[in-house]
Amino acid sequence: MWIFYLSLTVLLLILTLLPKIQHSHWVFRVPEFGKIQITSLILFTIGLGFTIHSSEKFWYYQCLLFVMFIHHSATLVKYTPLYPVKKYSRKHHSSEKLHFISANVYQFNKDYGRFIQLVKKYQPEMFLTMESNGDWEQALKTLEKDYPYHHKITLENTYGMHFYSKIKIEISHTHYFVADDIPSIEAHLKTKDGFSFVFFGVHPPPPSPTEEKTSKERDGDLLSTAKKVTEIKKPVIVVGDFNNVAWSKSSILFRKTSHLIDPRIGRSFVSTFHAKYRLLRFPIDLMFHSEDIFIENLKTLDNFGSDHLPVYCEFFIDHEQEEKQEERIDYATQEEKAEAKEMIEEGKKEDGQRDAIVTED
């Protein structure tokens, strides 16, 4: 048991230190995803240690574990209700409440009906699908009567993306920031009560042993989106499967360079992947918003057969209260701006070598 305790301690130390090494290879980036699980396992190991207590060096190991626990907890507590963030309610000059669903549907998930029923149940004004291919597009046609405005990017490489809206889309664009097979959506909308806003849908590739060996394309794509956001003078929401966690360096850099707010701070993790394994679930479907957008509800919905849980958000727009949220915006330093620019260039140079058509193994 003592060997097991020591092995766990060493493993947890390695998983804690690896993300500190600023290298883009997946070996260094993937441990960031598991910070919640790592913290829980550290707490378990501390408890296990007290049941053993069979070495004079016991307290050294326990102190090391405790320091690691404090280190991780100091980050994670920001993404819980324990972290104080003021909430705001709608005023008479605010927009009507708006709702959207964002879902990585998993390209090979054939249970289209469950997702369609989910949309019909919650009736959001907008919904975004990722990994949606030609089969998904055909299945979603049944919703086009209720969602007459759409922007479709039909791909078979697991990076297809479809955006449907009840609200009029005034103009929309498809961006290929770092690769010609990794799209993003930029949709400009205007509500019936006269509020304009911009919805970005993103889905960059993950660093992993089975997909991209590094995070270069992911980070370059996200930071390109951040750069684009700063050029827009309307309320902005950026939503999607970021294949990243909110506390990673590149996510924080995205938040700082885009001047957007992370609504998870002071709220909850909103973990989405993997849908089937609760204990191995990471919050990688993220969203960020400008200071004139106020989030009233952000949560996951029921599994509909995908490997991701869908994200549901309820928000309103208020230009007169936006100053109250400006204090939540962090701004990038000149050094961070230069780093973001460099990461964008590295992302463009990276060759992802993805197949145009991906089949399920």
Side-chain angles (χ1 to χ4, degrees), residues 131 157-159 204-214 243 352 354:
E131 289 202 28
N157 65 349
T158 73
Y159 290 97
S208 79
T210 58
E211 295 193 52
E212 303 309 312
K213 300 303 180 185
T214 75
N243 278 311
R354 285 170 292 273

Side-chain angles (χ1 to χ4, degrees), residues 153-195:
I153 309 171
T154 309
L155 298 173
E156 303 292 334
N157 65 349
T158 73
Y159 290 97
M161 190 179 292
H162 291 68
F163 178 65
Y164 294 82
S165 176
K166 295 179 179 180
I167 302 169
K168 183 179 180 180
I169 299 176
E170 295 188 313
I171 189 172
S172 61
H173 306 283
T174 300
H175 296 291
Y176 295 92
F177 288 122
V178 298
D180 59 7
D181 59 350
I182 301 295
S184 299
I185 291 175
E186 175 189 346
H188 293 244
L189 304 96
K190 188 171 185 178
T191 65
K192 290 181 179 179
D193 52 352
F195 287 84

